Amino acid sequence: MLKLAHVWWLAAIILGAAAFFDARHRRWANATFWAIMTVVFAGGDAILAAHQAGNRLPTQIVGAAVVVLALIAGTGIMPRASTANVDAATSQAARLGHRLFGPALLIPAVTALVYIVAKYVPPLGPLLVETKQASLVALAVGCSVALVAATMITRSAPTQALRESSRLLDALSWAVVLPMLLAALGAVFAATGVGDAVASLVGMIIPTDSRVACLVAYALGMIVFTVIMGNAFAAFPVMAGGIGLPLLVKQHGADPAVIGSLGMLTGYCGTLLTPMAANFNIVPAVLLELKSQYGVIREQWPTAIVLAFVNTVLMYFLAFR
C-alpha cells in the first residue's frame, strides 16, 4: 500500500540529488540547504513517532534546522542559478512538438483515477493507497507516471530527471520551500490563539452589530493575512476563527458555506498582490527571466482589486439570504 511516507521519501530523493549535484560543483550553501531538507523529509515519520512517544529532541532539532535554512536564505549566500542556457532544451522541444504535453496531461488524469479508486472502489482502494492521504499520494503517483512517460518520449535516462530537478531547484532557490513554511505558520497562528486576538481587536475597532462592517473586516482581513503569509490556506483558519465563525456565522447568521468558499477566494486576491506567494509570483518571474521580479504582481493587481470587491458584494447578497 502506498502511504504518505512514500511521498516524503520520493521528495527526499529529489532533494538529495540536488544536494549531491551542488556539492559536486562546490556550491556549498545550496548543497547544505537541500541536504537539510533531505534529512527532514526522509526522517519525517521517525521524527513524528518520536514526538508522539514523548521525545521532543527530534522536533527541536528540526526547528533548529528551519532556523539554519532561514539564515542560509536570508544571508544571500544561496544565489539562484542562471536559466539562460536553454538552447538545447528549446531545440529538443521543437523536435518533440505536442508530444511534450502528454506527460503534463497524465498528471491530472492519473491523479484523478487513483483518487477515485482509493475513495470509491472498496476493498481495492485501501489496498493500494492510504485513504486518509489519498489526494496527495495520488498526486505523487500521477507525477511518477508522468516522469516515466517523459523519459520514454524524450529517450532520456532516469538520472536526467534528477539532474533537471536539481537545475530547477537551484533556479528557484530558497523560494521553493516558502509555501510550505507559510502554510505551517498559519497552523501555528491558529493554535496559539491569534484568531481570538483578531476577534478582540476587531471588536474594539468596528461595530460588531453591523453585518456590513464585519463582512468588510473579514474580507480585508483575508487579503491582508494572505499578503503577510503568502497563502490563503494559512490565512483562513485565523480569519475564520476570529471573524468568520463568531461574528458572521453565529452572531449574524451567515451561511458558513458561502463565507468559507468566497472568503477563500477573496484571500487568493491577496495572493495576487504579494511576493510572499513565491510559487505564484516570484518563481514565474525567475523562469521567464523578467526584468523585474515583481513584474507578475504589477500585471495582476488590478484583477485582484476588482475580484476582491466583487467577492465581498457576492458574500453580502448570498450569505445573508
Side-chain angles (χ1 to χ4, degrees), residues 245-267:
L245 291 176
L247 297 180
L248 291 175
V249 176
K250 293 183 179 179
Q251 182 171 327
H252 293 290
D255 186 337
V258 175
I259 293 298
S261 57
L262 287 178
M264 280 290 291
L265 187 57
T266 305

Side-chain angles (χ1 to χ4, degrees), residues 182-187 189-190 194-195 198 218-244 263-264 266-268 270-271:
L182 293 172
L185 181 62
F189 278 4
V194 175
V198 169
Y218 174 68
L220 291 178
M222 281 294 301
I223 295 172
V224 170
F225 267 79
T226 300
V227 167
I228 294 172
M229 295 188 282
N231 194 312
F233 282 106
F236 183 74
V238 176
M239 297 311 301
I243 301 177
M264 280 290 291
T266 305
Y268 283 122
T271 301

Side-chain angles (χ1 to χ4, degrees), residues 101-116 138-139 142-143 146:
F101 289 102
L105 295 175
L106 275 174
I107 295 176
V110 174
T111 300
L113 178 62
V114 173
Y115 180 84
I116 291 172
L139 177 60
C143 292

Side-chain angles (χ1 to χ4, degrees), residues 19 22 25 27 42 71 73 82 100 149 152 180 200 214 274 283 287 302:
D22 279 329
H25 291 90
R27 294 192 291 263
L71 291 174
S82 173
L100 285 175
M152 294 175 63
M180 290 186 294
S200 300
C214 292
T274 177
V283 169
L287 295 180

Side-chain angles (χ1 to χ4, degrees), residues 134-148:
S135 57
L136 190 55
V137 175
L139 177 60
V141 173
C143 292
S144 300
V145 172
L147 173 61
V148 174

Side-chain angles (χ1 to χ4, degrees), residues 279-300:
N279 52 331
F280 294 112
N281 299 331
I282 302 302
V283 169
V286 172
L287 295 180
L288 296 174
E289 298 182 349
L290 301 182
K291 293 182 179 179
S292 171
Q293 63 176 336
Y294 305 118
V296 174
I297 297 175
R298 289 172 180 167
E299 296 297 324
Q300 291 176 163

